[in-house]
Amino acid sequence: TEELTKYFNGQVGVEHFNLHVPKGKIYGLLGRNGVGKTTAMKMLLRLIRPSSGKIILFGKECIRPTDKNYQRIGSLIEAPGFYGNLTAWENLEILARLRGRHRKDSIERVLFLMGLEQTASKTFQKFSLGMKQRLGIAAALMHEPEFLILDEPMNGLDPIGICEIRNYLIQLKKEGTTILLSGHVLNEIEQLADWIGMMHKGKLLEEVDLNELRKRIAVM
């Protein structure tokens, strides 16, 4: 992004946001709740319109939500939204039809990857918070995106679930997927990220390689 900015009724949401996510890496956007992480991600996805600034994806400026590069992105922003009276399988089937770009076994594959294969016939309204989060990640992965944007992906997961999702995201990176994720706990982010961006009051204060950050901490 270049000088990406969003104001809400004259109040700063995100200001002069210059984000650089390296291809094939995991980038952790770190900051306390309410500092603008979700707003920044929504602008990247054109879910909200920036007040000013540029968004550049895959080397090309993206101006409209209909830009084809958005087909190469998977995302989970805030709480996943699905039809409560439909099963996990039925919800993913609707998404698959809308996207029109998926493998024949895509639903079965992502449900298995997220540990939901035994709950495929259970309606979404009966899911626990952790199961809902897993289904949201499954939906983001179904079309095998090149770039994955995840807002607080570990929310609601138990320790085993966190470990499983962490290992899967690391495996995705090894396969070439670029990942941008947000969080507010450094210990959690550093177990995943290659790069860390630190946000405070709507501004990106610094971007730093994780190894460099660890060196700084070591000499404190």
Side-chain angles (χ1 to χ4, degrees), residues 14-181:
V14 172
E15 191 171 40
H16 306 307
F17 188 74
N18 295 296
L19 183 75
H20 307 85
V21 180
K23 183 178 180 180
K25 301 293 184 181
I26 297 179
Y27 186 112
L29 190 58
L30 182 68
R32 297 171 65 181
N33 291 331
V35 300
K37 302 187 301 293
T38 298
T39 298
M41 288 181 159
K42 284 183 175 180
M43 284 193 287
L44 283 176
L45 292 164
R46 288 288 174 178
L47 297 176
I48 58 175
R49 182 180 295 177
S51 301
S52 61
K54 293 182 180 180
I55 298 167
I56 300 167
L57 296 168
F58 306 105
K60 179 182 177 182
E61 183 178 358
C62 290
I63 300 173
R64 294 172 294 276
T66 53
D67 285 339
K68 289 185 177 180
N69 275 335
Y70 282 109
Q71 297 176 4
R72 301 161 68 181
I73 299 175
S75 64
L76 172 62
I77 303 296
E78 296 182 323
F82 294 100
Y83 294 105
N85 61 327
L86 299 183
T87 66
W89 187 286
E90 290 167 340
N91 271 294
L92 293 184
E93 189 174 34
I94 289 172
L95 285 176
R97 289 180 179 179
L98 288 172
R99 286 181 179 141
R101 295 174 65 251
H102 61 94
R103 291 167 25 175
K104 290 184 178 180
D105 65 341
S106 60
I107 297 176
E108 183 179 39
R109 180 179 61 87
V110 295
L111 286 176
F112 176 78
L113 288 172
M114 292 296 108
L116 295 172
E117 68 276 12
Q118 300 299 322
T119 63
S121 61
K122 190 174 185 178
T123 57
F124 181 72
Q125 62 194 0
K126 295 179 180 178
F127 274 25
S128 67
L129 179 59
M131 289 167 64
K132 290 177 179 179
Q133 194 74 357
R134 285 171 179 264
L135 187 60
I137 297 173
L141 294 170
M142 195 163 54
H143 60 300
E144 300 178 272
E146 299 170 50
F147 184 26
L148 192 57
I149 299 177
L150 302 174
D151 185 22
E152 304 270 5
M154 306 304 181
N155 272 359
L157 298 178
D158 58 29
I160 294 175
I162 290 173
C163 185
E164 289 174 347
I165 298 300
R166 182 191 304 137
N167 290 338
Y168 182 63
L169 293 178
I170 290 172
Q171 181 59 38
L172 274 178
K173 183 191 76 168
K174 291 178 180 178
E175 294 171 3
T177 305
T178 303
I179 301 171
L180 170 64
L181 57 89

